[in-house]
């Protein structure tokens, strides 16, 4: 199946199986981009951007999950709430929150995603604080056990 058909089928499934996400997806611009932008899917809070190799690689069910995932970033206003936070760490915190909710909702997850039941349903700001605390603890332990 060609990529455009796969995307159309995934969008249709999301509309029919999860109208809340599907109705939000209908009004969201979706564009193909190159690997310089993303190697999966991404959002800037206004549109969704997809990379051809990723769409070809995932199953249709995983594509449905990924559309719902990006819609949740938009609905939770994650790009607006970043407010100067470091981008990769902020996105990880947001992903932990989103992915657990979608797992609990029965979506077919993409392999190797960030997921931890203890972070599900928490605000991304709280998750990021927890992630920073874990990182700080690891750095302290490393310094104690690996003196220079």
């Amino acid at each position: 199946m060609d990529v455009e058909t796969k995307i159309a089928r995934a969008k249709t499934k999301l509309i029919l199986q999860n109208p809340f996400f599907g109705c939000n997806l209908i009004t969201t611009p979706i564009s193909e981009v190159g690997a310089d932008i993303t190697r999966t899917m991404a959002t800037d809070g206004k549109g969704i951007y997809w990379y051809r190799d990723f769409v070809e690689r995932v199953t249709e069910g995983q594509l449905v999950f990924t559309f719902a995932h990006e819609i949740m970033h938009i609905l939770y206003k994650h790009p607006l709430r970043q407010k100067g936070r470091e981008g990769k760490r902020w996105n990880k915190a947001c992903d932990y929150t989103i992915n657990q909710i979608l797992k609990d909702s029965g979506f077919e997850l993409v392999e190797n995603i960030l997921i931890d039941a203890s972070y599900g349903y928490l605000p991304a700001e709280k998750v990021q604080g927890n992630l920073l605390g874990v990182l700080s603890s690891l750095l302290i332990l490393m310094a104690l056990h690996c003196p220079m």
Side-chain angles (χ1 to χ4, degrees), residues 5 10 44 52-53 56 70 99 107 114-115 122-123 131 139 146:
T5 301
D44 59 1
R52 182 170 293 272
D53 289 352
E56 289 172 344
E70 297 304 331
N99 292 339
F107 282 86
L114 297 170
I115 193 158
L122 291 176
L131 293 175
L139 291 173
C146 302

Side-chain angles (χ1 to χ4, degrees), residues 72-133:
M72 287 188 76
H73 278 301
I74 294 169
L75 294 176
Y76 283 176
K77 304 208 180 303
H78 285 156
L80 295 174
R81 289 167 47 201
Q82 184 176 345
K83 295 183 181 174
R85 294 177 178 94
E86 191 274 320
K88 287 184 181 183
R89 192 172 297 127
W90 173 249
N91 191 57
K92 285 180 182 181
C94 296
D95 284 353
Y96 273 116
T97 300
I98 289 172
N99 292 339
Q100 188 63 47
I101 293 168
L102 293 176
K103 178 185 179 203
D104 292 347
S105 299
F107 282 86
E108 180 186 342
L109 305 180
V110 175
E111 294 178 16
N112 301 317
I113 61 169
L114 297 170
I115 193 158
D116 183 329
S118 65
Y119 292 142
Y121 304 92
L122 291 176
E125 291 83 356
K126 175 80 171 147
V127 174
Q128 186 180 32
N130 291 353
L131 293 175
L132 287 172

Side-chain angles (χ1 to χ4, degrees), residues 2-23:
D2 67 88
V3 172
E4 287 74 17
T5 301
K6 191 175 186 180
I7 287 173
R9 288 174 54 99
K11 287 169 60 175
T12 301
K13 276 190 176 182
L14 189 60
I15 292 164
L16 295 175
Q17 295 173 358
N18 299 88
F20 175 75
F21 294 117
C23 288

Side-chain angles (χ1 to χ4, degrees), residues 40-68:
T40 56
M41 268 197 202
T43 183
D44 59 1
K46 300 172 191 162
I48 294 175
Y49 307 97
W50 58 274
Y51 181 56
R52 182 170 293 272
D53 289 352
F54 173 76
V55 174
E56 289 172 344
R57 186 174 68 244
V58 297
T59 67
E60 196 172 288
Q62 291 170 331
L63 190 55
V64 170
F65 159 81
T66 308
F67 277 128

Side-chain angles (χ1 to χ4, degrees), residues 24-41:
N24 283 284
L25 183 62
I26 289 171
T27 60
T28 304
I30 301 171
S31 307
E32 181 178 5
V33 294
D36 58 316
I37 305 296
T38 184
R39 291 187 182 273
T40 56
M41 268 197 202

